[in-house]
Amino acid sequence: MVMRKLQLPLSQTQKVRFERAIERLQSLSSTANSDASVIVTDSIPVNHDDAFLKGHGTSEVDGELLATVCGVVERVDKLVYVRTLRARYKPEVGDIVVGRVIEVAQKRWRVELNFNQDGVLMLSSMNMPDGIQRRRTSVDELNMRNIFVEHDVVCAEVRNFQHDGSLQLQARSQKYGKLEKGQLLKVDPYLVKRSKHHFHYIESLGIDLIIGCNGLIWVGEHVEVRDPMAIDDQKDGEMISSSTESTGKEQSHTLLETRQTICRIGNAIRVLSNLGFTVTLEIIMETVNLSNSKNIDIHDMLGSEFHVVVAENEAERRRTRRKK
């Protein structure tokens, strides 16, 4: 992990507390994995008796595995590679991404993805609002703006790479599509780790959390995913989809309590990003619960004191976890 220099005014007491917390975190990190951080030409310890695979940022010279970039050593089964810090988003097929529509073109939408190339979502790769799998017609093309327009926030999956380096997206499931009634946040992509689960439903709060591999995170009011096979069996207004219009007046606005919860979770993510901590559901919710237990108002979460408290709490959490 990388702790950043906090760009907030700290009192002398807060400065001492923060530096102490950072020292504890660095000590725990170095104890847990002495070869975690490397610079160019640093040797990476490996067991040569067991077969291993050289990954990105590594090179074998005279039987020794060396780092060719600065970053953190990662090990996945037999693969050893160096993950560069503060790097741009490096997409992989199957990544869950969140983006914003910037153009509606012929049979496609262009999506900004916090990447050096835009993503392309073809009409043929989009799950239609009626949920029926069929060929796209000229009528569908004329109605594209009824699905997405410029500035809409959408969730999709990386399908493949095009010859010009742009990403081809797909949204063939009801869980993908337009995101409404929420907040879009941006963090450095290296703070997001790829996992099996990037969609999270925080049932106790009624909140949907989508952690995009590209560093864009969505926090919004929970939306029920409509089952296409059961559309005819549902009464009007009983279920809604993020890619269709609201079906009742009671869904035309978001409750104040829900909006406050969205803002609290959003500020928790901002604090974690400012501190350079990995953004996961577990750490986000722990930060939210910490703000509640300390009776910290939503707007005060972005202040210096709460940043110091979060750093201290993270150091204690890691120490406790290490003892176990």
Side-chain angles (χ1 to χ4, degrees):
M1 65 169 287
V2 175
M3 277 67 69
R4 302 176 179 176
K5 184 177 180 181
L6 202 58
Q7 302 297 325
L8 287 171
L10 297 174
S11 67
Q12 188 62 34
T13 302
Q14 290 173 336
K15 186 176 181 180
V16 171
R17 288 166 54 203
F18 182 71
E19 290 177 348
R20 188 176 302 163
I22 296 304
E23 288 174 2
R24 290 172 61 193
L25 284 165
Q26 290 174 334
S27 175
L28 289 168
S29 177
S30 60
T31 303
N33 189 357
S34 59
D35 68 320
S37 300
V38 292
I39 61 174
V40 178
T41 72
D42 272 1
S43 177
I44 302 174
V46 292
N47 188 351
H48 290 276
D49 294 334
D50 295 333
F52 66 90
L53 299 174
K54 302 187 296 293
H56 172 76
T58 65
S59 179
E60 192 169 5
V61 179
D62 296 332
E64 186 177 13
L65 190 64
L66 302 180
T68 58
V69 296
C70 299
V72 176
V73 177
E74 298 281 359
R75 302 172 189 269
V76 180
D77 295 330
K78 295 183 179 180
L79 176 66
V80 180
Y81 68 97
V82 179
R83 174 169 57 87
T84 54
L85 299 178
R86 291 183 173 81
R88 287 179 175 270
Y89 167 57
K90 295 180 180 179
E92 294 181 8
V93 174
D95 277 358
I96 305 300
V97 294
V98 178
R100 191 181 293 275
V101 176
I102 57 175
E103 181 186 3
V104 182
Q106 185 178 14
K107 297 183 180 179
R108 71 190 67 195
W109 294 272
R110 298 196 71 84
V111 184
E112 196 279 317
L113 294 172
N114 191 28
F115 181 53
N116 55 13
Q117 292 275 1
D118 296 329
V120 176
L121 177 59
M122 301 295 296
L123 178 62
S124 58
S125 300
M126 174 67 196
N127 190 71
M128 301 305 291
D130 56 19
I132 301 174
Q133 297 295 327
R134 55 179 174 79
R135 291 178 62 88
R136 306 301 185 257
T137 65
S138 57
V139 175
D140 292 324
E141 187 175 351
L142 291 173
N143 291 331
M144 284 179 60
R145 287 187 173 273
N146 292 334
I147 304 175
F148 301 141
V149 296
E150 290 85 351
H151 307 300
D152 278 351
V153 179
V154 298
C155 176
E157 178 182 330
V158 177
R159 182 181 179 183
N160 55 42
F161 303 91
Q162 295 188 323
H163 63 277
D164 61 354
S166 61
L167 305 182
Q168 187 166 355
L169 309 176
Q170 65 178 5
R172 295 185 180 277
S173 168
Q174 290 287 338
K175 66 182 179 180
Y176 302 125
K178 185 176 178 180
L179 303 173
E180 297 180 292
K181 299 182 181 179
Q183 194 174 111
L184 181 67
L185 300 115
K186 180 179 178 180
V187 303
D188 285 328
Y190 77 88
L191 296 178
V192 177
K193 288 191 174 181
R194 289 182 173 87
S195 69
K196 293 181 179 179
H197 304 287
H198 286 269
F199 293 89
H200 303 284
Y201 171 37
I202 308 172
E203 189 173 358
S204 60
L205 301 176
I207 297 297
D208 284 334
L209 175 66
I210 305 175
I211 304 177
C213 294
N214 57 334
L216 295 180
I217 300 175
W218 175 260
V219 185
E221 182 180 10
H222 176 61
V223 175
E224 292 288 346
V225 177
R226 176 159 52 184
D227 182 359
M229 301 300 294
I231 290 177
D232 294 336
D233 297 331
Q234 301 295 335
K235 295 181 180 179
D236 292 338
E238 184 177 346
M239 299 183 72
I240 61 172
S241 168
S242 61
S243 60
T244 59
E245 297 180 353
S246 297
T247 56
K249 291 183 178 179
E250 72 278 5
Q251 296 154 348
S252 62
H253 69 280
T254 303
L255 297 176
L256 175 61
E257 183 181 358
T258 302
R259 296 201 301 270
Q260 290 174 336
T261 302
I262 291 172
C263 291
R264 185 172 292 275
I265 295 174
N267 281 352
I269 295 171
R270 291 184 178 95
V271 171
L272 294 172
S273 176
N274 291 341
L275 292 170
F277 293 161
T278 302
V279 179
T280 65
L281 175 64
E282 176 191 1
I283 299 177
I284 291 171
M285 291 311 301
E286 187 167 334
T287 306
V288 170
N289 294 333
L290 181 65
S291 70
N292 284 322
S293 65
K294 299 286 187 181
N295 293 320
I296 296 178
D297 290 336
I298 295 173
H299 64 277
D300 290 335
M301 291 175 66
L302 299 179
S304 304
E305 176 63 22
F306 189 62
H307 280 76
V308 176
V309 170
V310 171
E312 291 174 334
N313 182 75
E314 179 67 10
E316 180 62 24
R317 185 183 73 88
R318 295 193 179 201
R319 185 185 69 83
T320 303
R321 186 177 63 180
R322 181 166 174 75
K323 281 185 176 181
K324 293 179 181 180

